Amino acid sequence: MNNGIALKSILNKEVQRFMRIWVQTLVPPAITISLYFIIFGSLIGSRIGEMGGFDYMSFIVPGLIMMSVITNSYSNVASSFFSAKWQRNVEEMLVAPVPNWVIVAGYVGGGMARGILVGLIVTLVSLFFVDIQIHNVWIIIATVALTSAVFALGGLINAIFADSFDDISIIPTFILTPLTYLGGVFYSISLLPEFWQDVSKVNPIVYMVNAFRYGFLGVSDVSITTAFIVIGLFITVLFTIAMTLISKGIGLRS
């Protein structure tokens, strides 16, 4: 019962945190994605024509939604947990009679809430540009939830190791952004030479974007089963790392 109260408290705090400044957390992604739709969809897409058997605008919509979910899930937890660490609030949680998994689940849940909410907003925005079709709603829900969890856990680990607010931006700038743009958001990896297709399949975001796209369009460059195995492995590994770091107090105890 106490664990449930603690988990609910952390979740409420995290949700209230990004909802309180919704102009900064929810509006910018909608504006950014609108620009992507206008530039890559309407202007460039009209010259590209079809991709994967669909018009270019319809093809990139799932990738753009997933991109917004990834970045917001990650950044929410990274900034929030580091702020708590910087203000010494984490130390209070560590000495409280609360299991470490509750702390992890609370922050990750908050990141997932923001990521999924932004994804819904972007989806609504996309309706102004394209008629969205749904092939399998359960795959859409499962993929967006699991992918959001992966990057929320990644943001938590980043925050644990970060020594300053500048350290939070290193991973998104030099790792997350390149992997996202090379993850098949704007193109099908089947267009690449065989060697680069194999290289692309090392990128985990390729599996997440393609599984999500399959939920909408019914097409994918990778096996859906393999995609969910990859996502599941990442959740398991990242959760284990986060739990280990918090249990040992690495980067948390001064």
Side-chain angles (χ1 to χ4, degrees):
M1 183 65 178
N2 291 334
N3 292 343
I5 295 174
L7 178 60
K8 183 179 178 180
S9 298
I10 297 174
L11 276 172
N12 286 339
K13 177 179 72 70
E14 289 300 294
V15 172
Q16 291 174 9
R17 173 182 174 273
F18 71 76
M19 289 300 294
R20 187 170 56 249
I21 52 174
W22 62 271
V23 175
Q24 301 175 39
T25 56
L26 303 181
V27 175
I31 296 175
T32 301
I33 294 301
S34 296
L35 293 175
Y36 277 120
F37 282 133
I38 293 171
I39 296 172
F40 289 96
S42 300
L43 300 181
I44 298 178
S46 59
R47 301 191 178 189
I48 293 177
E50 290 190 353
M51 183 168 292
F54 299 88
D55 65 89
Y56 188 66
M57 181 79 85
S58 298
F59 184 84
I60 67 172
V61 164
L64 291 175
I65 297 172
M66 183 56 70
M67 185 169 68
S68 65
V69 171
I70 288 172
T71 55
N72 283 274
S73 299
Y74 190 98
S75 62
N76 190 80
V77 182
S79 60
S80 178
F81 193 83
F82 181 78
S83 295
K85 188 173 76 169
W86 184 65
Q87 296 168 356
R88 304 294 186 186
N89 294 337
V90 171
E91 295 178 0
E92 297 176 3
M93 285 190 289
L94 291 177
V95 298
V98 177
N100 291 329
W101 70 263
V102 172
I103 299 175
V104 174
Y107 277 94
V108 170
M112 290 176 64
R114 176 176 166 185
I116 293 172
L117 181 56
V118 169
L120 287 173
I121 293 173
V122 171
T123 302
L124 292 176
V125 170
S126 68
L127 293 175
F128 290 98
F129 301 91
V130 64
D131 293 327
I132 293 180
Q133 56 180 297
I134 296 178
H135 176 72
N136 190 317
V137 67
W138 299 114
I139 288 182
I140 292 174
I141 294 172
T143 305
V144 74
L146 294 174
T147 300
S148 181
V150 168
F151 288 95
L153 284 165
L156 178 63
I157 295 171
N158 185 182
I160 291 174
F161 281 113
D163 293 322
S164 67
F165 282 101
D166 291 335
D167 292 339
I168 295 176
S169 63
I170 292 176
I171 299 297
T173 301
F174 295 103
I175 297 179
L176 192 56
T177 299
L179 287 179
T180 302
Y181 279 95
L182 296 174
V185 172
F186 299 103
Y187 60 90
S188 169
I189 64 171
S190 63
L191 299 176
L192 303 175
E194 186 174 351
F195 172 78
W196 291 110
Q197 287 186 39
D198 294 335
V199 171
S200 295
K201 289 178 181 179
V202 178
N203 181 357
I205 295 180
V206 166
Y207 297 90
M208 300 167 187
V209 169
N210 274 278
F212 197 59
R213 180 173 287 131
Y214 179 84
F216 283 97
L217 305 179
V219 296
S220 174
D221 294 325
V222 298
S223 165
I224 301 302
T225 301
T226 302
F228 279 106
I229 291 174
V230 169
I231 297 172
L233 285 174
F234 267 87
I235 290 178
T236 302
V237 171
L238 293 178
F239 180 79
T240 302
I241 292 173
M243 286 291 293
T244 301
L245 293 174
I246 292 178
S247 298
K248 294 185 178 180
I250 298 174
L252 302 178
R253 295 188 173 95
S254 56

